[in-house]
Amino acid sequence: HVQLVESGGGSVQARGSRTLSCVVSGYTYSDGYCLGWFRQAPDKEREGVAQMYSGESSIYYLDSVKGRFTISHDYAKRTLYLQMNSLKPEDTAMYYCGISPGSCPARPFINFGYWGQGTQVTVS
């Protein structure tokens, strides 16, 4: 049973920082895998924020977060992170993490095979 659990969301003032975590359990890490974060704000389409292929290669960032967000993965802890700096009100959204076997088929990629329940980030 694959389970992804996000944490770290909350309310933050503009220009502040927040680190999101995503613990992945029950997933068999074999060959390659695509890990990433996507978000969805009310009345907006889901958008891919950051993604990476296994081993932190082929990292992709949404243009609007480049230079502000950093995706990383601690394989030993089975945890994916999203460090968010210089947050803006337009970053307000529910943030989800996802994982899929194989390479990331698109940039951005949002149709992960498994994803979590999300964590809300509100920037004011």
Side-chain angles (χ1 to χ4, degrees), residues 70-113:
T70 302
I71 187 173
S72 62
H73 182 229
D74 188 325
Y75 180 84
K77 294 183 178 179
R78 301 293 197 267
T79 302
L80 180 70
Y81 301 97
L82 185 68
Q83 172 67 43
M84 306 185 294
N85 298 325
S86 303
L87 283 161
K88 304 175 181 180
E90 50 264 44
D91 294 318
T92 295
M94 184 71 82
Y95 283 74
Y96 301 86
C97 62
I99 188 169
S100 285
S103 61
C104 301
R107 293 161 68 98
F109 179 61
I110 58 174
N111 296 315
F112 292 94

Side-chain angles (χ1 to χ4, degrees), residues 33-102:
Y33 47 91
C34 179
L35 284 163
W37 292 90
F38 58 96
R39 66 188 181 186
Q40 187 161 24
D43 301 323
K44 292 188 177 180
E45 292 188 357
R46 184 178 298 182
E47 61 179 359
V49 175
Q51 66 195 52
M52 57 188 288
Y53 182 57
S54 48
E56 297 194 0
S57 62
S58 301
I59 293 178
Y60 161 87
Y61 292 102
L62 182 69
D63 282 347
S64 63
V65 309
K66 282 181 181 177
R68 301 189 297 121
F69 289 13
T70 302
I71 187 173
S72 62
H73 182 229
D74 188 325
Y75 180 84
K77 294 183 178 179
R78 301 293 197 267
T79 302
L80 180 70
Y81 301 97
L82 185 68
Q83 172 67 43
M84 306 185 294
N85 298 325
S86 303
L87 283 161
K88 304 175 181 180
E90 50 264 44
D91 294 318
T92 295
M94 184 71 82
Y95 283 74
Y96 301 86
C97 62
I99 188 169
S100 285

Side-chain angles (χ1 to χ4, degrees), residues 2-25:
V2 179
Q3 188 174 22
L4 289 81
V5 180
E6 302 95 337
S7 63
S11 296
V12 59
Q13 291 189 333
R15 295 186 298 279
S17 297
R18 205 82 183 179
T19 299
L20 304 183
S21 300
C22 170
V23 178
V24 183
S25 60

